[in-house]
Amino acid sequence: MSTKQSPDLMDKIVSLCKRRGFIYPGSLIYGGFAGTYDFGHYGVALKRNIIDMWMQAMREHDSMAFLDASIFMARKVWEASGHVSGFSDPLIICNSCHTKHRADHLLEAVGVSADEKMTEENVNKIFDEHRRKIVCPTCGKKDFGRVKAKNLLATSTLGVFEDEDEEVYLRGETAQGIYVNFKNVLDTGFYSIPLGIAQVGKVFRNEISPRQFLFRLREFEQMEMQYFVHSKDALTAYEAWKRERMAYYSRLGIKTGKLRWKQHENLVFYAKDAWDIQYEFPFGWNELEGVHYRGDYDLTQHQKFSGTDLSVLDEKTRERYIPHIIETSVGVERTILMVLCDAYDEDEMNGEKRAVLRFHPRVAPVKAAVFPLLKNKSKLVEKAREVFWTLKKEFDMVVFDDNGNIGKRYRRQDEIGTPFCVTVDFETLENDTVTLRDRDSGKQERVKVSSLVEFLKAKF
Ligand code: GAP
């Protein structure tokens, strides 16, 4: 029995994540804090795997530098980038119950596509055309004001004395840290154009309607790569990056048919062309990753606002030019949500219902679990500890579990998505073999302890 299409799939995933120590709602003992989630032990391991796999894919390029820029940046960065004036959500207020809504979400509900990146004027125009059909989800009335662009940059203050505190922006995308460091990286002498700069880091957005678990958060991490290239090579590079980024998701074991391309109809202020890789989430097809052709917009703006020459010299032709930029940008948490939705399944094994996360072994937070058959037999426990440490040295995330009967331990590991369980039993003490149980099929086989590491390595 598969429940993949079940409408409450998201609820089941949210509940499993909390129950098994993957992800908790932020500030829960104070009633929660919208748009924030805290990662528990297995969540941290899952996140680390997702980030490592992305970094590995970027490292496979010969001309790729890594960066870790500050979250606090000069205010001017965000003025130059266009975020102060143009980075907003279309907000609308119900005149009757005064609740705030995203105009694009209300339009979506009546089957009209208006993407979040449209200008205030355009959303107002579309909203006016459909105003008569649009009902407030809170009070049911059809009485809305005008659409207002609500800036998404989150702010904080910095300073020595409160009355001198200066308002600063928390970064709204990691990309700007890359642009302002472009010259620093180039000046190290290791790199030339074409050059990619990759960065993983926290981002903050004042989302007016955080929703769908990890899908839309106020604090999240982005994995962004900016590829600097001569304009004449930009379109070829753009197509190559599009191919590469889509192909990348097979490494994460994402099911075929669950990913597709969607071109942006309304381009965000910085883009010349933009495509999204969409995933079919339980709530519909939605953006997973953006692959954008940003032209020379960003470097030109920073050159203008900072007064620093950001052009480069082509040694052969002696031409000075501002490189064009291809961007690939994906959220860590949104990738995790996709991986969870893709992996979650329910079936029956040995007459018992179970929930299972069928993670690809590379993605799985725990690689293997080791059990002594009985916890009160010291010889079994001792041997199981020995096997556990052998595997732990090799695979790091390996757990030892002697709690409850073997069936219960399997169920627990199935929910964590552990691909292999190793049981040390009485036969182990006689011939040094263990039972290796496969998460997906439930199939068990006997494997020599001495060949266990090689056997598992071949699966990852
Ligand atoms: N530098 C380009 C940029 O930031 P974006 O489409 O706003 O573009 C890129 O964001 C990616 O970041 C998205 O495809 C998504 O994976 C993730 N992302 C954006 N907003 C998010 C949010 N509020 N919560 C979680 N992830 C988000």
Side-chain angles (χ1 to χ4, degrees), residues 1-13 16 252-258 279-285 336-348 354-360 414 439-440:
M1 180 192 71
S2 174
T3 56
K4 297 276 2 177
Q5 299 308 317
S6 156
D8 59 358
L9 178 57
M10 283 294 283
D11 292 342
K12 288 180 176 177
I13 291 173
L16 184 150
L252 271 63
I254 301 304
K255 293 187 185 72
T256 40
K258 296 290 271 182
Y279 177 76
E280 192 180 17
F281 289 96
F283 43 89
W285 286 96
I336 290 173
L337 180 60
M338 168 185 70
V339 160
L340 286 166
C341 295
D342 217 59
Y344 186 90
D345 204 2
E346 288 172 5
D347 64 6
E348 236 177 73
R354 67 167 184 166
V356 53
L357 287 174
R358 300 187 193 278
F359 288 133
H360 189 288
D414 289 342
R439 173 198 66 203
D440 295 335

Short mmCIF file of all heavy atoms in Angstrom, two decimals, residues 1-13 16 252-258 279-285 336-348 354-360 414 439-440:
data_model
loop_
_atom_site.label_atom_id
_atom_site.label_comp_id
_atom_site.label_asym_id
_atom_site.label_seq_id
_atom_site.Cartn_x
_atom_site.Cartn_y
_atom_site.Cartn_z
N MET A 1 0.85 -1.20 0.00
CA MET A 1 0.00 0.00 0.00
C MET A 1 0.88 1.25 0.00
O MET A 1 1.73 1.41 0.87
CB MET A 1 -0.87 -0.01 1.26
CG MET A 1 -1.78 1.18 1.37
SD MET A 1 -2.52 1.32 3.00
CE MET A 1 -1.13 1.80 4.00
N SER A 2 0.70 2.08 -0.97
CA SER A 2 1.50 3.30 -0.97
C SER A 2 0.59 4.49 -0.71
O SER A 2 -0.51 4.56 -1.22
CB SER A 2 2.18 3.47 -2.33
OG SER A 2 2.82 4.71 -2.35
N THR A 3 1.03 5.40 0.13
CA THR A 3 0.19 6.57 0.46
C THR A 3 0.79 7.84 -0.13
O THR A 3 0.54 8.93 0.34
CB THR A 3 0.09 6.75 1.99
OG1 THR A 3 1.41 6.85 2.47
CG2 THR A 3 -0.63 5.62 2.67
N LYS A 4 1.60 7.70 -1.19
CA LYS A 4 2.32 8.84 -1.74
C LYS A 4 1.41 10.00 -2.12
O LYS A 4 1.79 11.14 -2.05
CB LYS A 4 3.15 8.42 -2.95
CG LYS A 4 4.21 7.42 -2.66
CD LYS A 4 5.55 7.84 -2.15
CE LYS A 4 5.97 9.18 -1.85
NZ LYS A 4 7.31 9.27 -1.31
N GLN A 5 0.16 9.69 -2.55
CA GLN A 5 -0.73 10.76 -2.98
C GLN A 5 -1.63 11.28 -1.85
O GLN A 5 -2.46 12.13 -2.07
CB GLN A 5 -1.61 10.28 -4.16
CG GLN A 5 -0.82 9.88 -5.40
CD GLN A 5 0.16 10.97 -5.82
OE1 GLN A 5 -0.18 12.15 -5.84
NE2 GLN A 5 1.39 10.59 -6.13
N SER A 6 -1.45 10.68 -0.67
CA SER A 6 -2.32 11.03 0.44
C SER A 6 -2.24 12.53 0.74
O SER A 6 -1.16 13.10 0.83
CB SER A 6 -1.89 10.23 1.65
OG SER A 6 -2.27 10.87 2.81
N PRO A 7 -3.42 13.21 0.91
CA PRO A 7 -3.39 14.66 1.15
C PRO A 7 -2.73 15.02 2.48
O PRO A 7 -2.27 16.12 2.67
CB PRO A 7 -4.87 15.06 1.14
CG PRO A 7 -5.63 13.79 1.32
CD PRO A 7 -4.76 12.67 0.85
N ASP A 8 -2.71 14.06 3.43
CA ASP A 8 -2.09 14.40 4.72
C ASP A 8 -0.63 13.97 4.79
O ASP A 8 -0.06 13.89 5.88
CB ASP A 8 -2.90 13.83 5.89
CG ASP A 8 -3.04 12.33 5.80
OD1 ASP A 8 -2.55 11.73 4.82
OD2 ASP A 8 -3.62 11.74 6.72
N LEU A 9 -0.04 13.73 3.63
CA LEU A 9 1.36 13.32 3.59
C LEU A 9 2.27 14.31 4.32
O LEU A 9 3.15 13.92 5.08
CB LEU A 9 1.80 13.15 2.12
CG LEU A 9 3.25 12.75 1.87
CD1 LEU A 9 3.59 11.45 2.58
CD2 LEU A 9 3.51 12.61 0.37
N MET A 10 2.01 15.61 4.10
CA MET A 10 2.85 16.63 4.75
C MET A 10 2.74 16.51 6.28
O MET A 10 3.76 16.59 6.97
CB MET A 10 2.43 18.04 4.31
CG MET A 10 2.91 18.41 2.94
SD MET A 10 4.71 18.54 2.81
CE MET A 10 4.96 20.11 3.59
N ASP A 11 1.51 16.29 6.78
CA ASP A 11 1.34 16.18 8.24
C ASP A 11 2.13 14.99 8.77
O ASP A 11 2.73 15.05 9.84
CB ASP A 11 -0.14 15.98 8.60
CG ASP A 11 -0.94 17.22 8.30
OD1 ASP A 11 -0.32 18.29 8.16
OD2 ASP A 11 -2.18 17.13 8.19
N LYS A 12 2.11 13.90 8.00
CA LYS A 12 2.83 12.69 8.44
C LYS A 12 4.33 12.95 8.47
O LYS A 12 5.03 12.51 9.38
CB LYS A 12 2.52 11.53 7.49
CG LYS A 12 1.11 11.02 7.64
CD LYS A 12 0.87 9.88 6.71
CE LYS A 12 -0.51 9.29 6.94
NZ LYS A 12 -0.83 8.23 6.01
N ILE A 13 4.82 13.67 7.46
CA ILE A 13 6.26 13.96 7.40
C ILE A 13 6.66 14.88 8.56
O ILE A 13 7.66 14.65 9.24
CB ILE A 13 6.64 14.54 6.03
CG1 ILE A 13 6.50 13.46 4.95
CG2 ILE A 13 8.05 15.11 6.04
CD1 ILE A 13 6.68 13.95 3.53
N LEU A 16 6.66 12.82 11.74
CA LEU A 16 7.80 11.89 11.81
C LEU A 16 9.10 12.66 12.12
O LEU A 16 9.92 12.22 12.92
CB LEU A 16 7.93 11.11 10.50
CG LEU A 16 9.03 10.05 10.46
CD1 LEU A 16 8.64 8.91 9.51
CD2 LEU A 16 10.37 10.58 10.00
N LEU A 252 21.00 12.35 -5.78
CA LEU A 252 20.25 12.34 -4.53
C LEU A 252 19.17 11.25 -4.55
O LEU A 252 18.44 11.09 -3.58
CB LEU A 252 19.59 13.71 -4.31
CG LEU A 252 20.39 14.77 -3.55
CD1 LEU A 252 21.65 15.15 -4.30
CD2 LEU A 252 19.54 16.03 -3.34
N GLY A 253 19.07 10.56 -5.68
CA GLY A 253 18.12 9.46 -5.80
C GLY A 253 16.68 9.92 -6.01
O GLY A 253 15.75 9.16 -5.75
N ILE A 254 16.50 11.16 -6.49
CA ILE A 254 15.13 11.67 -6.68
C ILE A 254 14.46 10.91 -7.83
O ILE A 254 15.06 10.68 -8.87
CB ILE A 254 15.15 13.19 -6.97
CG1 ILE A 254 15.81 13.93 -5.80
CG2 ILE A 254 13.75 13.74 -7.26
CD1 ILE A 254 15.20 13.71 -4.45
N LYS A 255 13.19 10.54 -7.61
CA LYS A 255 12.49 9.71 -8.60
C LYS A 255 12.34 10.45 -9.94
O LYS A 255 12.06 11.65 -9.96
CB LYS A 255 11.10 9.37 -8.09
CG LYS A 255 11.13 8.48 -6.90
CD LYS A 255 9.73 8.03 -6.52
CE LYS A 255 9.78 7.24 -5.25
NZ LYS A 255 10.04 8.05 -4.05
N THR A 256 12.50 9.68 -11.02
CA THR A 256 12.32 10.32 -12.33
C THR A 256 10.85 10.68 -12.50
O THR A 256 9.97 10.00 -11.98
CB THR A 256 12.76 9.38 -13.48
OG1 THR A 256 12.32 8.07 -13.16
CG2 THR A 256 14.25 9.39 -13.71
N GLY A 257 10.63 11.79 -13.20
CA GLY A 257 9.25 12.23 -13.41
C GLY A 257 8.79 13.20 -12.34
O GLY A 257 7.73 13.81 -12.46
N LYS A 258 9.57 13.37 -11.26
CA LYS A 258 9.16 14.28 -10.19
C LYS A 258 9.80 15.66 -10.32
O LYS A 258 9.57 16.55 -9.50
CB LYS A 258 9.52 13.71 -8.82
CG LYS A 258 8.81 12.42 -8.47
CD LYS A 258 7.34 12.62 -8.22
CE LYS A 258 7.04 12.92 -6.78
NZ LYS A 258 5.61 13.07 -6.52
N TYR A 279 9.88 20.70 -8.35
CA TYR A 279 9.63 19.34 -7.84
C TYR A 279 8.13 19.23 -7.58
O TYR A 279 7.49 20.20 -7.18
CB TYR A 279 10.43 19.09 -6.56
CG TYR A 279 10.16 17.74 -5.95
CD1 TYR A 279 10.71 16.58 -6.49
CD2 TYR A 279 9.30 17.60 -4.85
CE1 TYR A 279 10.44 15.33 -5.95
CE2 TYR A 279 9.03 16.36 -4.30
CZ TYR A 279 9.60 15.23 -4.87
OH TYR A 279 9.32 14.00 -4.33
N GLU A 280 7.61 18.02 -7.76
CA GLU A 280 6.19 17.83 -7.47
C GLU A 280 6.01 17.52 -5.99
O GLU A 280 6.06 16.36 -5.56
CB GLU A 280 5.59 16.71 -8.33
CG GLU A 280 4.08 16.69 -8.26
CD GLU A 280 3.46 15.60 -9.12
OE1 GLU A 280 4.18 14.67 -9.52
OE2 GLU A 280 2.24 15.70 -9.37
N PHE A 281 5.87 18.59 -5.19
CA PHE A 281 5.65 18.44 -3.74
C PHE A 281 4.22 17.94 -3.51
O PHE A 281 3.39 18.02 -4.43
CB PHE A 281 5.84 19.81 -3.05
CG PHE A 281 7.28 20.27 -3.01
CD1 PHE A 281 7.77 21.14 -3.98
CD2 PHE A 281 8.14 19.85 -2.01
CE1 PHE A 281 9.10 21.58 -3.95
CE2 PHE A 281 9.47 20.27 -1.98
CZ PHE A 281 9.94 21.13 -2.94
N PRO A 282 3.89 17.45 -2.31
CA PRO A 282 2.51 16.99 -2.07
C PRO A 282 1.49 18.11 -2.31
O PRO A 282 0.32 17.84 -2.57
CB PRO A 282 2.53 16.59 -0.59
CG PRO A 282 3.95 16.32 -0.29
CD PRO A 282 4.77 17.22 -1.16
N PHE A 283 1.92 19.39 -2.22
CA PHE A 283 1.00 20.52 -2.46
C PHE A 283 1.13 21.05 -3.87
O PHE A 283 0.68 22.15 -4.18
CB PHE A 283 1.23 21.63 -1.41
CG PHE A 283 2.70 21.91 -1.15
CD1 PHE A 283 3.38 22.84 -1.90
CD2 PHE A 283 3.38 21.24 -0.15
CE1 PHE A 283 4.73 23.10 -1.67
CE2 PHE A 283 4.73 21.48 0.10
CZ PHE A 283 5.41 22.41 -0.68
N GLY A 284 1.76 20.29 -4.76
CA GLY A 284 1.82 20.69 -6.18
C GLY A 284 3.24 20.96 -6.66
O GLY A 284 4.19 20.94 -5.87
N TRP A 285 3.37 21.24 -7.98
CA TRP A 285 4.67 21.55 -8.56
C TRP A 285 5.14 22.91 -8.06
O TRP A 285 4.38 23.88 -8.13
CB TRP A 285 4.57 21.61 -10.09
CG TRP A 285 4.45 20.26 -10.74
CD1 TRP A 285 3.28 19.65 -11.11
CD2 TRP A 285 5.50 19.35 -11.07
NE1 TRP A 285 3.56 18.42 -11.66
CE2 TRP A 285 4.91 18.21 -11.65
CE3 TRP A 285 6.90 19.39 -10.94
CZ2 TRP A 285 5.65 17.12 -12.10
CZ3 TRP A 285 7.62 18.30 -11.39
CH2 TRP A 285 7.02 17.19 -11.96
N ILE A 336 15.90 19.51 1.44
CA ILE A 336 15.60 18.50 2.46
C ILE A 336 14.11 18.14 2.40
O ILE A 336 13.75 16.96 2.48
CB ILE A 336 16.00 19.01 3.87
CG1 ILE A 336 17.53 19.05 3.95
CG2 ILE A 336 15.41 18.15 4.98
CD1 ILE A 336 18.09 19.67 5.20
N LEU A 337 13.25 19.15 2.22
CA LEU A 337 11.82 18.86 2.12
C LEU A 337 11.56 17.94 0.92
O LEU A 337 10.79 16.98 1.02
CB LEU A 337 11.01 20.17 1.99
CG LEU A 337 9.50 19.98 1.86
CD1 LEU A 337 8.91 19.27 3.09
CD2 LEU A 337 8.79 21.32 1.66
N MET A 338 12.20 18.24 -0.21
CA MET A 338 12.02 17.39 -1.39
C MET A 338 12.47 15.96 -1.10
O MET A 338 11.75 15.00 -1.41
CB MET A 338 12.83 17.94 -2.57
CG MET A 338 12.90 16.95 -3.72
SD MET A 338 13.95 17.48 -5.06
CE MET A 338 15.56 17.36 -4.34
N VAL A 339 13.64 15.82 -0.49
CA VAL A 339 14.20 14.50 -0.21
C VAL A 339 13.27 13.72 0.74
O VAL A 339 13.04 12.52 0.57
CB VAL A 339 15.63 14.70 0.37
CG1 VAL A 339 16.09 13.49 1.13
CG2 VAL A 339 16.62 15.04 -0.74
N LEU A 340 12.70 14.42 1.73
CA LEU A 340 11.78 13.78 2.67
C LEU A 340 10.50 13.32 1.96
O LEU A 340 10.03 12.20 2.16
CB LEU A 340 11.41 14.73 3.81
CG LEU A 340 12.48 14.99 4.88
CD1 LEU A 340 12.11 16.20 5.73
CD2 LEU A 340 12.67 13.75 5.77
N CYS A 341 9.95 14.21 1.12
CA CYS A 341 8.70 13.87 0.41
C CYS A 341 8.94 12.70 -0.54
O CYS A 341 8.09 11.82 -0.69
CB CYS A 341 8.18 15.07 -0.40
SG CYS A 341 7.66 16.45 0.62
N ASP A 342 10.10 12.72 -1.19
CA ASP A 342 10.42 11.68 -2.17
C ASP A 342 10.65 10.33 -1.48
O ASP A 342 10.36 9.28 -2.05
CB ASP A 342 11.69 12.08 -2.93
CG ASP A 342 11.61 11.68 -4.39
OD1 ASP A 342 10.68 12.14 -5.07
OD2 ASP A 342 12.47 10.88 -4.83
N ALA A 343 11.19 10.38 -0.27
CA ALA A 343 11.59 9.14 0.41
C ALA A 343 10.47 8.53 1.25
O ALA A 343 10.49 7.32 1.51
CB ALA A 343 12.80 9.43 1.30
N TYR A 344 9.50 9.35 1.68
CA TYR A 344 8.50 8.84 2.62
C TYR A 344 7.61 7.80 1.97
O TYR A 344 7.11 7.98 0.85
CB TYR A 344 7.62 10.00 3.15
CG TYR A 344 6.66 9.53 4.22
CD1 TYR A 344 7.03 9.56 5.56
CD2 TYR A 344 5.40 9.02 3.88
CE1 TYR A 344 6.16 9.11 6.55
CE2 TYR A 344 4.53 8.55 4.87
CZ TYR A 344 4.92 8.61 6.20
OH TYR A 344 4.06 8.15 7.17
N ASP A 345 7.40 6.70 2.66
CA ASP A 345 6.50 5.66 2.15
C ASP A 345 5.91 4.90 3.33
O ASP A 345 6.45 4.94 4.45
CB ASP A 345 7.27 4.71 1.23
CG ASP A 345 6.35 4.00 0.24
OD1 ASP A 345 5.12 4.28 0.25
OD2 ASP A 345 6.83 3.17 -0.54
N GLU A 346 4.80 4.23 3.05
CA GLU A 346 4.22 3.34 4.07
C GLU A 346 3.96 2.01 3.39
O GLU A 346 3.54 2.00 2.22
CB GLU A 346 2.90 3.91 4.58
CG GLU A 346 3.06 5.13 5.45
CD GLU A 346 1.73 5.79 5.79
OE1 GLU A 346 0.67 5.25 5.44
OE2 GLU A 346 1.77 6.86 6.41
N ASP A 347 4.26 0.93 4.06
CA ASP A 347 3.92 -0.38 3.50
C ASP A 347 3.70 -1.37 4.63
O ASP A 347 3.63 -0.98 5.80
CB ASP A 347 4.99 -0.85 2.49
CG ASP A 347 6.35 -1.10 3.14
OD1 ASP A 347 6.45 -1.01 4.38
OD2 ASP A 347 7.32 -1.37 2.40
N GLU A 348 3.57 -2.64 4.27
CA GLU A 348 3.38 -3.67 5.28
C GLU A 348 4.54 -4.63 5.18
O GLU A 348 4.88 -5.05 4.07
CB GLU A 348 2.07 -4.41 4.99
CG GLU A 348 1.14 -4.39 6.18
CD GLU A 348 -0.17 -5.05 5.87
OE1 GLU A 348 -0.19 -6.30 5.78
OE2 GLU A 348 -1.15 -4.31 5.71
N ARG A 354 4.25 -0.17 8.43
CA ARG A 354 5.40 0.64 8.83
C ARG A 354 5.47 1.91 7.98
O ARG A 354 5.01 1.94 6.84
CB ARG A 354 6.71 -0.14 8.71
CG ARG A 354 7.08 -0.47 7.28
CD ARG A 354 8.51 -0.96 7.12
NE ARG A 354 8.79 -1.14 5.68
CZ ARG A 354 9.99 -1.29 5.16
NH1 ARG A 354 11.04 -1.30 5.92
NH2 ARG A 354 10.16 -1.45 3.86
N ALA A 355 6.07 2.95 8.57
CA ALA A 355 6.44 4.15 7.80
C ALA A 355 7.93 4.02 7.56
O ALA A 355 8.67 3.58 8.44
CB ALA A 355 6.16 5.40 8.62
N VAL A 356 8.37 4.36 6.35
CA VAL A 356 9.78 4.19 6.02
C VAL A 356 10.26 5.38 5.18
O VAL A 356 9.53 5.89 4.33
CB VAL A 356 10.01 2.84 5.29
CG1 VAL A 356 9.10 2.65 4.09
CG2 VAL A 356 11.46 2.65 4.86
N LEU A 357 11.46 5.83 5.48
CA LEU A 357 12.08 6.86 4.63
C LEU A 357 13.09 6.14 3.74
O LEU A 357 14.12 5.66 4.21
CB LEU A 357 12.78 7.92 5.49
CG LEU A 357 11.86 8.89 6.23
CD1 LEU A 357 12.66 9.79 7.16
CD2 LEU A 357 11.05 9.75 5.25
N ARG A 358 12.75 6.05 2.45
CA ARG A 358 13.61 5.31 1.53
C ARG A 358 14.69 6.25 0.95
O ARG A 358 14.74 6.49 -0.26
CB ARG A 358 12.78 4.71 0.38
CG ARG A 358 11.71 3.74 0.84
CD ARG A 358 11.06 3.07 -0.36
NE ARG A 358 9.84 2.38 -0.01
CZ ARG A 358 9.77 1.16 0.53
NH1 ARG A 358 10.88 0.51 0.77
NH2 ARG A 358 8.61 0.60 0.81
N PHE A 359 15.50 6.82 1.84
CA PHE A 359 16.58 7.70 1.39
C PHE A 359 17.57 6.94 0.54
O PHE A 359 17.87 5.77 0.83
CB PHE A 359 17.38 8.22 2.59
CG PHE A 359 16.68 9.23 3.45
CD1 PHE A 359 16.70 9.08 4.84
CD2 PHE A 359 16.06 10.34 2.91
CE1 PHE A 359 16.10 10.03 5.66
CE2 PHE A 359 15.47 11.29 3.73
CZ PHE A 359 15.48 11.12 5.10
N HIS A 360 18.17 7.62 -0.43
CA HIS A 360 19.34 7.06 -1.10
C HIS A 360 20.41 6.91 -0.02
O HIS A 360 20.58 7.81 0.83
CB HIS A 360 19.82 8.02 -2.20
CG HIS A 360 20.88 7.43 -3.05
ND1 HIS A 360 22.15 7.23 -2.60
CD2 HIS A 360 20.85 6.96 -4.33
CE1 HIS A 360 22.87 6.66 -3.56
NE2 HIS A 360 22.10 6.49 -4.61
N ASP A 414 13.75 2.17 10.25
CA ASP A 414 13.03 2.43 8.99
C ASP A 414 12.56 3.88 8.95
O ASP A 414 12.61 4.54 7.93
CB ASP A 414 11.82 1.50 8.87
CG ASP A 414 12.24 0.06 8.61
OD1 ASP A 414 13.40 -0.16 8.19
OD2 ASP A 414 11.42 -0.85 8.83
N ARG A 439 16.73 -2.25 4.34
CA ARG A 439 15.57 -1.45 4.73
C ARG A 439 14.39 -1.59 3.77
O ARG A 439 13.24 -1.74 4.19
CB ARG A 439 15.99 0.03 4.80
CG ARG A 439 14.88 1.01 5.04
CD ARG A 439 15.33 2.41 4.66
NE ARG A 439 15.58 2.52 3.23
CZ ARG A 439 16.37 3.41 2.65
NH1 ARG A 439 17.00 4.29 3.39
NH2 ARG A 439 16.54 3.44 1.33
N ASP A 440 14.66 -1.55 2.45
CA ASP A 440 13.57 -1.46 1.49
C ASP A 440 12.87 -2.80 1.26
O ASP A 440 11.65 -2.86 1.20
CB ASP A 440 14.08 -0.88 0.17
CG ASP A 440 14.54 0.56 0.36
OD1 ASP A 440 14.04 1.20 1.31
OD2 ASP A 440 15.40 1.03 -0.40
#
